[in-house]
Structure formats: structure tokens, C-alpha cells
Amino acid sequence: MSRRDKEIKIKMKKSAALLSEVDILFINKFYDTLINRLYYSCLHATRGLLLTQDLVSKTHSGVVTLLNQKFVMEGKFDVSHVHFIKT
């Protein structure tokens, strides 16, 4: 497995781990934390997606910019499917 593939796997595992907390947070009405976990789960998954194209950003805004440049503007994703990460 290449280094890039390992990094992608790490990002996706982190995303899945954060997402796995959502049910417990919802049941216990920790809505602010739930939203935080959803956001960071999406952020890590997006970083993994960007790594498939050898793209890396150290900032949240950079992740959004790269996502828009390489996936939305190139027609791979509809803008309505990535709006959640812009907010």
C-alpha cells in the first residue's frame, strides 16, 4: 500500500470514527457536539477525497477551495452536494 493510500485510509477511518459518535450524541441531546462531529467527519472525508488527487490543504478554507476547484468546477460534484462544508 502506498503512503498516499495509507493517508487516505487514515482520513476515512477518522471520518468514520467521528460519525460513529453521532447516534449517542443525538440520544443524549448533545446537539452542538453532534454538529461538530458531523462537520469534522465531512472535513476528514473531504481531505481523503482530495488526497486521491494528490491535493493537500492545511486549512479548512483551503479544503473548501480545492474541493470547489477540482470537483465542483470540473463537474464531478454538484455544488448542492458540497454546500454543507462551506458554512
Side-chain angles (χ1 to χ4, degrees):
M1 183 180 291
S2 72
R3 180 178 177 188
R4 181 183 80 165
D5 290 343
K6 288 177 185 175
E7 289 178 23
I8 292 168
K9 191 172 183 175
I10 288 167
K11 293 293 180 196
M12 299 311 290
K13 277 186 162 185
K14 181 68 173 179
S15 175
L18 289 165
L19 195 57
S20 72
E21 298 175 8
V22 170
D23 288 337
I24 294 167
L25 294 168
F26 183 77
I27 290 167
N28 291 291
K29 300 180 182 180
F30 294 119
Y31 302 121
D32 288 341
T33 306
L34 180 148
I35 291 167
N36 174 278
R37 294 305 190 270
L38 288 173
Y39 175 81
Y40 279 98
S41 175
C42 291
L43 182 67
H44 284 286
T46 302
R47 287 182 188 265
L49 174 67
L50 293 174
L51 281 169
T52 68
Q53 303 297 307
D54 294 320
L55 301 169
V56 177
S57 174
K58 293 183 180 183
T59 66
H60 293 225
S61 62
V63 168
V64 172
T65 298
L66 288 172
L67 179 64
N68 282 310
Q69 287 175 348
K70 298 298 179 177
F71 290 90
V72 175
M73 294 172 95
E74 292 182 5
K76 296 174 185 171
F77 285 175
D78 185 274
V79 70
S80 66
H81 296 140
V82 299
H83 179 71
F84 64 90
I85 201 159
K86 291 182 180 183
T87 57

